[in-house]
């Protein structure tokens, strides 16, 4: 019988991951907590360096007033990850990258002079830096569980009073192909 052991010190190759977590939004508006969903794929060049592409759904951010619906924020990420193995199974990592995101909302436009009232869709597309820290624990040679903290500073360039800072804590399963 052979025993398969996890080893953070020899990880290389393609991986996919999926996770869920909590997002805390800090803005000038009432603070909100939302659920975060994420999926990613990456390439681990060696035990210390990886590139990752992902998709994140950060949930709904509060609207500036009651005329608007909440902003649903989703987007794609590209990140560089620096990982430092602490043992055969445990590693700590840092990541920095870019978050190309969009926020969708709707608002009710009241017309003047007896015209027709309209519901209008507002879509905002922006790009901001994302960074994070995490712990990775290998459950087996191909499966890891990650606990990750990410910080987002979303700047609505046309809406300066909507700038939001948020912090997301997620748990992910990573499968190494």
């Amino acid at each position: 019988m052979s025993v398969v052991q996890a080893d953070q010190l020899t990880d290389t190759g393609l991986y996919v991951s999926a996770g869920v977590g909590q997002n805390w939004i800090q803005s000038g508006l009432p603070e909100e907590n939302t659920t975060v969903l994420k999926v990613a794929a990456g390439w681990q060049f060696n035990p210390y360096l990886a590139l990752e592409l992902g998709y994140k759904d950060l949930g709904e951010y509060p609207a500036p007033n009651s005329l608007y619906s909440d902003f649903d924020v989703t987007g794609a990420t590209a990140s560089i990850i620096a990982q430092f193995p602490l043992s055969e199974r445990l590693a700590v990592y840092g990541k920095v990258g870019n978050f190309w995101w969009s926020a969708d909302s709707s608002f009710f436009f009241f017309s003047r002079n007896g015209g027709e009232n309209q519901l209008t869709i507002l879509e905002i597309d922006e790009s901001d830096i994302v960074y994070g820290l995490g712990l990775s624990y290998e459950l087996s040679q191909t499966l890891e569980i990650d606990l990750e903290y990410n910080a987002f500073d979303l700047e609505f360039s046309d809406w300066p009073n909507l700038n939001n800072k948020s912090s997301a804590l997620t748990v992910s399963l990573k499968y190494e192909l």
Side-chain angles (χ1 to χ4, degrees), residues 45-61:
F45 293 102
N46 57 46
Y48 308 102
L49 185 65
L51 261 180
E52 184 176 272
L53 301 175
Y55 173 82
K56 292 186 185 340
D57 182 341
L58 298 183
E60 291 188 350
Y61 282 59

mmCIF file of all heavy atoms in Angstrom, residues 45-61:
data_model
loop_
_atom_site.group_PDB
_atom_site.id
_atom_site.type_symbol
_atom_site.label_atom_id
_atom_site.label_comp_id
_atom_site.label_asym_id
_atom_site.label_seq_id
_atom_site.Cartn_x
_atom_site.Cartn_y
_atom_site.Cartn_z
ATOM 1 N N PHE A 45 3.186 28.295 -10.528
ATOM 2 C CA PHE A 45 4.466 28.120 -11.215
ATOM 3 C C PHE A 45 5.440 27.294 -10.398
ATOM 4 O O PHE A 45 6.207 26.498 -10.935
ATOM 5 C CB PHE A 45 5.097 29.491 -11.516
ATOM 6 C CG PHE A 45 4.303 30.279 -12.514
ATOM 7 C CD1 PHE A 45 3.472 31.301 -12.102
ATOM 8 C CD2 PHE A 45 4.366 29.988 -13.866
ATOM 9 C CE1 PHE A 45 2.728 32.028 -13.016
ATOM 10 C CE2 PHE A 45 3.636 30.708 -14.788
ATOM 11 C CZ PHE A 45 2.807 31.730 -14.361
ATOM 12 N N ASN A 46 5.445 27.523 -9.097
ATOM 13 C CA ASN A 46 6.304 26.804 -8.153
ATOM 14 C C ASN A 46 5.639 26.947 -6.784
ATOM 15 O O ASN A 46 4.577 27.549 -6.682
ATOM 16 C CB ASN A 46 7.739 27.362 -8.196
ATOM 17 C CG ASN A 46 7.809 28.842 -7.902
ATOM 18 O OD1 ASN A 46 7.194 29.334 -6.963
ATOM 19 N ND2 ASN A 46 8.552 29.579 -8.724
ATOM 20 N N PRO A 47 6.220 26.416 -5.721
ATOM 21 C CA PRO A 47 5.551 26.526 -4.415
ATOM 22 C C PRO A 47 5.373 27.958 -3.909
ATOM 23 O O PRO A 47 4.668 28.181 -2.938
ATOM 24 C CB PRO A 47 6.477 25.751 -3.477
ATOM 25 C CG PRO A 47 7.241 24.830 -4.353
ATOM 26 C CD PRO A 47 7.400 25.550 -5.650
ATOM 27 N N TYR A 48 5.980 28.941 -4.590
ATOM 28 C CA TYR A 48 5.992 30.311 -4.075
ATOM 29 C C TYR A 48 5.218 31.328 -4.921
ATOM 30 O O TYR A 48 4.923 32.411 -4.433
ATOM 31 C CB TYR A 48 7.440 30.794 -3.936
ATOM 32 C CG TYR A 48 8.282 29.829 -3.155
ATOM 33 C CD1 TYR A 48 9.152 28.962 -3.810
ATOM 34 C CD2 TYR A 48 8.181 29.754 -1.776
ATOM 35 C CE1 TYR A 48 9.912 28.050 -3.092
ATOM 36 C CE2 TYR A 48 8.935 28.846 -1.053
ATOM 37 C CZ TYR A 48 9.786 27.996 -1.714
ATOM 38 O OH TYR A 48 10.538 27.087 -1.003
ATOM 39 N N LEU A 49 4.897 31.003 -6.172
ATOM 40 C CA LEU A 49 4.325 31.998 -7.066
ATOM 41 C C LEU A 49 3.222 31.402 -7.938
ATOM 42 O O LEU A 49 3.394 30.331 -8.526
ATOM 43 C CB LEU A 49 5.425 32.571 -7.972
ATOM 44 C CG LEU A 49 5.032 33.717 -8.893
ATOM 45 C CD1 LEU A 49 4.636 34.945 -8.087
ATOM 46 C CD2 LEU A 49 6.172 34.048 -9.833
ATOM 47 N N ALA A 50 2.092 32.143 -8.024
ATOM 48 C CA ALA A 50 0.969 31.701 -8.860
ATOM 49 C C ALA A 50 0.312 32.919 -9.507
ATOM 50 O O ALA A 50 0.432 34.041 -9.021
ATOM 51 C CB ALA A 50 -0.059 30.953 -8.018
ATOM 52 N N LEU A 51 -0.362 32.667 -10.615
ATOM 53 C CA LEU A 51 -1.222 33.648 -11.287
ATOM 54 C C LEU A 51 -2.635 33.102 -11.240
ATOM 55 O O LEU A 51 -2.849 31.918 -11.479
ATOM 56 C CB LEU A 51 -0.819 33.794 -12.749
ATOM 57 C CG LEU A 51 0.057 34.949 -13.142
ATOM 58 C CD1 LEU A 51 0.348 34.905 -14.622
ATOM 59 C CD2 LEU A 51 -0.499 36.277 -12.741
ATOM 60 N N GLU A 52 -3.610 33.984 -10.964
ATOM 61 C CA GLU A 52 -4.980 33.526 -10.816
ATOM 62 C C GLU A 52 -5.952 34.464 -11.516
ATOM 63 O O GLU A 52 -5.826 35.682 -11.429
ATOM 64 C CB GLU A 52 -5.322 33.445 -9.324
ATOM 65 C CG GLU A 52 -6.693 32.895 -9.028
ATOM 66 C CD GLU A 52 -6.934 32.761 -7.545
ATOM 67 O OE1 GLU A 52 -6.587 31.696 -6.988
ATOM 68 O OE2 GLU A 52 -7.460 33.731 -6.946
ATOM 69 N N LEU A 53 -6.931 33.879 -12.216
ATOM 70 C CA LEU A 53 -8.049 34.609 -12.812
ATOM 71 C C LEU A 53 -9.311 34.163 -12.096
ATOM 72 O O LEU A 53 -9.473 32.969 -11.826
ATOM 73 C CB LEU A 53 -8.165 34.306 -14.306
ATOM 74 C CG LEU A 53 -6.954 34.647 -15.158
ATOM 75 C CD1 LEU A 53 -7.169 34.177 -16.593
ATOM 76 C CD2 LEU A 53 -6.664 36.137 -15.116
ATOM 77 N N GLY A 54 -10.191 35.115 -11.803
ATOM 78 C CA GLY A 54 -11.376 34.735 -11.049
ATOM 79 C C GLY A 54 -12.577 35.596 -11.362
ATOM 80 O O GLY A 54 -12.510 36.584 -12.095
ATOM 81 N N TYR A 55 -13.691 35.199 -10.778
ATOM 82 C CA TYR A 55 -14.944 35.928 -10.861
ATOM 83 C C TYR A 55 -15.493 36.040 -9.442
ATOM 84 O O TYR A 55 -15.515 35.047 -8.699
ATOM 85 C CB TYR A 55 -15.943 35.184 -11.751
ATOM 86 C CG TYR A 55 -17.316 35.805 -11.744
ATOM 87 C CD1 TYR A 55 -17.602 36.903 -12.549
ATOM 88 C CD2 TYR A 55 -18.319 35.313 -10.919
ATOM 89 C CE1 TYR A 55 -18.855 37.488 -12.535
ATOM 90 C CE2 TYR A 55 -19.574 35.891 -10.902
ATOM 91 C CZ TYR A 55 -19.834 36.972 -11.702
ATOM 92 O OH TYR A 55 -21.079 37.560 -11.687
ATOM 93 N N LYS A 56 -15.922 37.246 -9.057
ATOM 94 C CA LYS A 56 -16.467 37.465 -7.728
ATOM 95 C C LYS A 56 -17.823 38.154 -7.826
ATOM 96 O O LYS A 56 -18.012 39.072 -8.611
ATOM 97 C CB LYS A 56 -15.533 38.344 -6.895
ATOM 98 C CG LYS A 56 -14.229 37.678 -6.531
ATOM 99 C CD LYS A 56 -13.438 38.552 -5.587
ATOM 100 C CE LYS A 56 -12.085 38.085 -5.219
ATOM 101 N NZ LYS A 56 -11.665 36.785 -5.337
ATOM 102 N N ASP A 57 -18.746 37.699 -7.017
ATOM 103 C CA ASP A 57 -20.030 38.369 -6.823
ATOM 104 C C ASP A 57 -20.012 38.885 -5.391
ATOM 105 O O ASP A 57 -20.081 38.110 -4.442
ATOM 106 C CB ASP A 57 -21.179 37.387 -7.034
ATOM 107 C CG ASP A 57 -22.550 38.039 -6.897
ATOM 108 O OD1 ASP A 57 -22.641 39.141 -6.301
ATOM 109 O OD2 ASP A 57 -23.527 37.445 -7.369
ATOM 110 N N LEU A 58 -19.883 40.209 -5.232
ATOM 111 C CA LEU A 58 -19.766 40.809 -3.902
ATOM 112 C C LEU A 58 -21.113 41.127 -3.263
ATOM 113 O O LEU A 58 -21.164 41.677 -2.172
ATOM 114 C CB LEU A 58 -18.919 42.081 -3.966
ATOM 115 C CG LEU A 58 -17.476 41.905 -4.425
ATOM 116 C CD1 LEU A 58 -16.739 43.233 -4.376
ATOM 117 C CD2 LEU A 58 -16.758 40.859 -3.595
ATOM 118 N N GLY A 59 -22.206 40.821 -3.936
ATOM 119 C CA GLY A 59 -23.519 41.072 -3.364
ATOM 120 C C GLY A 59 -24.020 42.462 -3.680
ATOM 121 O O GLY A 59 -23.534 43.132 -4.584
ATOM 122 N N GLU A 60 -25.007 42.907 -2.913
ATOM 123 C CA GLU A 60 -25.652 44.186 -3.170
ATOM 124 C C GLU A 60 -25.158 45.264 -2.215
ATOM 125 O O GLU A 60 -25.220 45.107 -1.003
ATOM 126 C CB GLU A 60 -27.164 44.045 -3.051
ATOM 127 C CG GLU A 60 -27.748 43.207 -4.162
ATOM 128 C CD GLU A 60 -29.257 43.221 -4.178
ATOM 129 O OE1 GLU A 60 -29.877 43.720 -3.229
ATOM 130 O OE2 GLU A 60 -29.819 42.729 -5.169
ATOM 131 N N TYR A 61 -24.665 46.358 -2.805
ATOM 132 C CA TYR A 61 -24.209 47.517 -2.038
ATOM 133 C C TYR A 61 -25.377 48.481 -1.876
ATOM 134 O O TYR A 61 -26.219 48.604 -2.766
ATOM 135 C CB TYR A 61 -23.070 48.200 -2.776
ATOM 136 C CG TYR A 61 -21.743 47.505 -2.631
ATOM 137 C CD1 TYR A 61 -21.579 46.195 -3.034
ATOM 138 C CD2 TYR A 61 -20.664 48.161 -2.070
ATOM 139 C CE1 TYR A 61 -20.371 45.553 -2.889
ATOM 140 C CE2 TYR A 61 -19.440 47.535 -1.933
ATOM 141 C CZ TYR A 61 -19.305 46.224 -2.334
ATOM 142 O OH TYR A 61 -18.102 45.595 -2.181
#
